[in-house]
Amino acid sequence: MIQHLTRPAALALSILGLSSCNDSLTEPGTTSSAPMGAEAAVAATSNSWVTRASMPSDRWGLTSAVVPNASGQSILYAIGGSSASFAQPSGPTTGALTTVQAYNASTNSWKLRAPLPLPLYRSNGTGVIDGKIYVSGGRMSGDKKYVNALFVYDPATNTWTRKHDMPEASWGGVTGVINRKLYVLTCEEAEDCSEFSHLTLYRYDPGTDQWTFLSVTPVQLGLPMGGVIGGKLYVTGGPGGALMAYDPATNSWTAKTSLPGRRWSGAGVAYHAQLYILGGFEYNSDLTKRTVRKTSVYDPATNTWITKARMPSARFDLTASLVFVSGKARIEAVGGQRPGNNVQYIR
């Protein structure tokens, strides 16, 4: 049974957030065209982006995680998402997907994997524990269809398993792993979630298969982006660009230097003990929104932001994870339309 959780009333008032596929199946047109080998084709100067083999589908609002294969090669799993862009007038309400595609960063190729048990987009991101990928929450096709499911994917067996559901339906969040536990920051009041939302933080323990309520963010962090650095969860997003650091040792939030600009629906990833925020939406002066190519980097050691090389094209509702190529870490960012929906950042 799920642990029954009760939030203090004062906090509650503050909230406004399978069958396997063939392992050898490679999708048509997804193999790298580089004649000298995939790794030779990605050599580039520092602080630059290179374009890799396009993800075989146009997807927005997907999530990703990396688990090495038996040969030690980085395999990025692109999970779920929507076939319709959030920028389209019709919106994404009819395009939720179960699609899971795996990208081998060393061979620059894609494979189809076992689908999600439910079609989901804008989930709460992923966490990897003991080589397994955890995905919680999200939205399904149709108006006001939110889920509280927690699924775990085992790349070794190419299978999905459902674990104990979250205490509430939620979506559009961030997941971090600290001390082998999931920390899921999410918008719990599903119908009212936007870029102007306070978010709820839960912890999930795979050992007990239980959820625990931890806190509510003291500021609005709608549709956040973030990552774990030094055992703390850093998240930003929303109308004020606030950056907050959560310390599990004290169950408390600390305000850090805000992200320049008001940005949301980008990708966040921790890389070399810094937080990288990629793409997303920003507000114009008239409060309309624009998609950006920005690569913004936060250094906890100095509490400052710097700007790095821009992405090859403007992207939103993308996902990013760390991969290793020839023993060196790089950021793999996927999402959006083909071609060019899979790019790699070299530090």
Side-chain angles (χ1 to χ4, degrees), residues 236 240-243 255-261 298 303 305:
T236 186
L243 173 66
K256 302 295 184 179
T257 301
S258 295
L259 171 68
Y298 174 76
N303 193 29
W305 289 90

Side-chain angles (χ1 to χ4, degrees), residues 27 44 47 68 103 178 181 220 232 249 271 306:
E27 296 192 356
N47 188 31
Y103 173 74
I178 304 173
K181 296 180 177 63
Q220 294 174 330
K232 297 179 181 179
Y271 181 34
I306 60 174

Side-chain angles (χ1 to χ4, degrees), residues 26-33 53-56 108-110 338:
T26 301
E27 296 192 356
T30 62
T31 302
S32 170
S33 59
S54 290
M55 182 172 58
N108 193 29
S109 60
W110 290 88
R338 293 164 289 176

Side-chain angles (χ1 to χ4, degrees), residues 24 65 78 87 113 155 160 165 173 175 180 187 190 212 216 220 274 285 287 292 300:
S24 63
R113 308 303 287 157
W160 289 90
D165 292 344
T175 296
R180 294 168 48 81
C187 195
T212 302
V216 173
Q220 294 174 330
Q274 296 176 324
S285 58
L287 296 185
V292 298

